[in-house]
Amino acid sequence: MLSYAALILSYIQSFYNRQFDTRAKLYNETVANFYKNLEDYYDNDKPVNHTPTVSYFAEKANLSSNYFGDMIKHYTGSSPQDHIQQLIIQIAKNKLRNTSLTISEIAYSLGFDYPTYFTRFFKKETGITPNLFRNQ
């Protein structure tokens, strides 16, 4: 009984993964739209109230969060959360290098509720604090 269940689950998994290859043209467009929406999230002149989430971009693509995450990971090799975090770090580094904004102002401009969350996030991703990065 267990071997039949394992066989059925392996078939389900292979059919689930196969759909990404058979609908490549449609999904490549969705991936491109994800990148565009991700860039637009911080490029608009309006203030950002919170950091972007995978569910926000999945909703824009009219897909469930889990399905959207699987699709992005299949085509890019990284999860959507990784892409979001990489963009936030890139923008933070640019602001730390090129502006005289305080760490708190940068944190709020990126959508963090508290500057300490931003500092912890930055240190976890880069290995150094924002102040140390700015001083280097």
Side-chain angles (χ1 to χ4, degrees):
M1 194 70 152
L2 286 175
S3 61
Y4 284 127
L7 180 65
I8 290 170
L9 290 175
S10 68
Y11 280 132
I12 291 170
Q13 185 66 36
S14 66
F15 285 125
Y16 181 76
N17 289 332
R18 188 178 72 180
Q19 72 181 334
F20 294 127
D21 295 328
T22 59
R23 300 177 183 170
K25 185 177 180 180
L26 173 69
Y27 290 150
N28 284 333
E29 184 178 321
T30 304
V31 172
N33 287 339
F34 167 63
Y35 285 129
K36 182 185 175 301
N37 290 333
L38 184 58
E39 293 288 331
D40 289 346
Y41 191 86
Y42 284 109
D43 282 346
N44 294 337
D45 292 334
K46 63 182 178 182
V48 177
N49 295 331
H50 52 75
T51 56
T53 61
V54 174
S55 60
Y56 169 79
F57 294 109
E59 190 175 302
K60 284 185 111 14
N62 295 322
L63 298 170
S64 73
S65 296
N66 290 336
Y67 189 79
F68 181 76
D70 289 346
M71 182 188 57
I72 297 295
K73 186 162 182 143
H74 179 81
Y75 285 105
T76 65
S78 298
S79 70
Q81 188 65 35
D82 291 340
H83 291 286
I84 293 168
Q85 290 173 348
Q86 288 171 3
L87 180 67
I88 291 172
I89 290 297
Q90 177 187 355
I91 293 170
K93 285 180 176 180
N94 286 338
K95 286 185 177 191
L96 287 166
R97 282 188 199 120
N98 302 323
T99 66
S100 60
L101 296 172
T102 65
I103 303 299
S104 296
E105 291 171 331
I106 292 172
Y108 292 131
S109 73
L110 292 173
F112 286 88
D113 293 331
Y114 303 102
T116 53
Y117 291 170
F118 169 69
T119 302
R120 267 192 277 154
F121 169 75
F122 191 88
K123 185 172 183 176
K124 185 182 111 193
E125 295 296 318
T126 63
I128 57 174
T129 63
N131 278 329
L132 187 58
F133 181 83
R134 177 176 267 169
N135 294 334
Q136 287 182 341

